[in-house]
Amino acid sequence: MVKKFDPSCVNLHTHSYYCGHGIGELSEYVEIAKEEGLEVLGFSEHCPMPHNRWPGSRMHFDRLEQYIGQCKELQLEHTDITLLTGLECDYDRDYHSWYQEYLLDSNRVDYLIAGVHYLTNESVTDRYIQHFPNDKKALHLYTNQYIETLSSGLFNLGVHPDLFGMFYYEWDEEALACSKSILECASSLDIPLEINGYGLNKPTINTKRGKRRQYPLIDFWQLSKEYSISIVANSDAHRPKDVVSQAQDAHLFATSVNLTISSLNIETSIEGDMNLFFS
Ligand SMILES: [Zn+2]
Ligand SMILES: [Zn+2]
């Protein structure tokens, strides 16, 4: 059975107090989502890793089962909204089989989304991307990591692909080439990319061309029109009150650059396995 949802009634990028830099219980997000008319709410807490890799932005690994259990309990409790259990991941090929087997094959999660939040080069390991210098090397590192992440085949959605705008300030040949690489990759693998509502509400930065958002980047999304890709609008909420409003901001951004947001389809097998796709 396939059920198709109107894009304005879906949010697949939601955090909570679990990650340590968000607030609110999962149940508070559900209440607001229902009050404000969402039909699908996907929880996508930052994925804790074995050995607690990338500890600055995620729950301790020991809490993962509790988080997953709570997501699933909430779905049993609330039959009038579809609640999906997911995680937002950073990718490293060392963990590929753990993502595949422990999270996906076991049906612990319904879906995984991925972005690039940390980079490693010859002198620093796992540094948050905002702290990288405004240079081409860092931009290339980001782009390669984003492409490797999408190419892993593990993820339903690439989130904030234009997050490089946090540290790379120009829209020049280099930014254009890297953006094209990311868009080409998403298009050829048929993985949707996300317009991120959280970025729309973050402080602006000063660049040579004046003040602009860190992300989403208007130039990136204008360029996306040259590619056949699905685009999704999410809130990336870290507070219950943002769960719908920031998604609406992302939809308004899409309208302002003339982009159409794809619909989420959820296919459920007789065995209860879930497959998410966009059309
Ligand atoms: Zn976060
Ligand atoms: Zn993120």
Side-chain angles (χ1 to χ4, degrees), residues 4 13 17 29-30 46 66 93 126 155 183 191 228:
K4 186 171 184 168
H13 195 161
Y17 82 101
Y29 287 80
V30 177
H46 297 282
Q66 187 193 339
R93 68 172 82 87
D126 292 346
F155 304 111
L183 289 160
I191 301 176
S228 160

Side-chain angles (χ1 to χ4, degrees), residues 13 46 88 117 159-160 236:
H13 195 161
H46 297 282
E88 179 185 13
H117 303 87
V159 297
H160 43 60
D236 191 2

